[in-house]
């Protein structure tokens, strides 16, 4: 089982990489600290990553996990608000879409299926802060894309799933918690704490390796009951 995992160098991505490797999968990572470097703010980045990963894999990738993303504030008063919107969409959604497209074409060409796991966010359903319109919209787009792929290609054995974490204790989440008032934010999480990266990794590993085919199109929430559907 060969898996391409984006954003594998830290946080949730590093935890997913460790969980999959421990399960015996061959993981091709992407990131500046480990794996294949690719800049998703560059429109050429996703295709370059896919081609390099496919060569490293010997011509066959079985699972794609889209985890790379940015969470950057954009005040409505910022003169470059639209540029910040477009940057987040390019990295979080468009790059993931391009990789999904290449994966689907790859699996169609080889004549049997594969799996896509997209790491979205609770924000896809409940929204986010006034400074994160773009982030919430990008993750909602990722969920809709996942469901569309699941419905469109299930008969070809191509399965698609999404994971929607709430706050997760990565370095990025720690900064956000401190900037928003940690105690008040935690009070919104019935579990009383944010998720650990290995909890998100457990969900991603299950979908990548174990989930039954009939689960295709599913979205798994990992948010401590801070948002329930």
């Amino acid at each position: 089982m060969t898996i391409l995992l984006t954003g594998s160098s830290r946080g949730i991505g590093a935890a997913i990489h460790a969980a999959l490797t421990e399960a015996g999968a061959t993981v091709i990572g992407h990131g500046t600290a480990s794996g294949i470097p690719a800049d998703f703010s560059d429109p050429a980045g996703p295709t370059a990553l896919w081609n390099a990963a496919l060569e490293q894999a010997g011509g066959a990738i079985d699972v794609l996990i889209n985890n790379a993303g940015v969470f950057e504030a954009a005040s409505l008063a910022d003169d470059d608000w639209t540029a910040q919107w477009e940057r987040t969409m390019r990295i979080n959604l468009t790059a993931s879409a391009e990789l999904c497209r290449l994966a689907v074409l790859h699996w169609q060409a080889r004549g049997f299926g594969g799996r896509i796991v997209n790491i979205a966010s609770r924000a896809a359903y409940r929204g986010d802060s006034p400074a994160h319109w773009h982030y919430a919209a990008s993750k909602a787009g990722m969920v809709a894309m996942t469901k569309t792929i699941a419905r469109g290609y299930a008969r070809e054995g191509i399965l698609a799933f999404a994971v929607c974490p709430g706050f997760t204790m990565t370095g990025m989440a720690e900064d956000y918690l401190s900037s928003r008032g940690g105690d008040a934010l935690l009070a919104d999480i019935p579990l009383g704490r944010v998720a650990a990266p290995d909890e998100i990794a457990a969900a991603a590993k299950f979908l990548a390796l174990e989930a039954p085919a009939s689960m295709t199109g599913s979205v798994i929430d990992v948010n401590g009951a801070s948002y329930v559907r």
Side-chain angles (χ1 to χ4, degrees), residues 133-211:
W133 290 17
H134 51 349
Y135 179 79
S138 70
K139 295 302 185 178
M142 179 177 272
V143 169
M145 176 178 69
T146 302
K147 294 183 177 185
T148 301
I149 292 168
R151 288 176 57 80
Y153 306 100
R155 291 185 188 277
E156 299 173 67
I158 297 170
L159 311 178
F161 312 90
V163 180
C164 282
F167 286 113
T168 306
M169 194 49 72
T170 65
M172 182 170 62
E174 289 171 352
D175 293 341
Y176 190 71
L177 282 168
S178 63
S179 70
R180 291 287 293 273
D183 290 343
L185 191 148
L186 289 174
D188 189 42
I189 305 174
L191 188 62
R193 63 171 178 81
V194 298
D198 60 358
E199 293 181 296
I200 315 304
K205 183 188 80 168
F206 170 70
L207 295 174
L209 302 178
E210 303 166 18

Side-chain angles (χ1 to χ4, degrees), residues 91-132:
I91 294 172
N92 289 7
L93 181 57
T94 306
S96 295
E98 289 170 334
L99 286 168
C100 286
R101 170 182 172 267
L102 291 168
V104 169
L105 290 171
H106 171 60
W107 296 327
Q108 288 177 325
R110 73 178 186 175
F112 58 95
R115 293 186 177 217
I116 291 169
V117 180
N118 288 321
I119 308 300
S121 169
R122 175 187 71 173
Y125 290 99
R126 66 169 262 174
D128 211 283
S129 79
H132 294 92

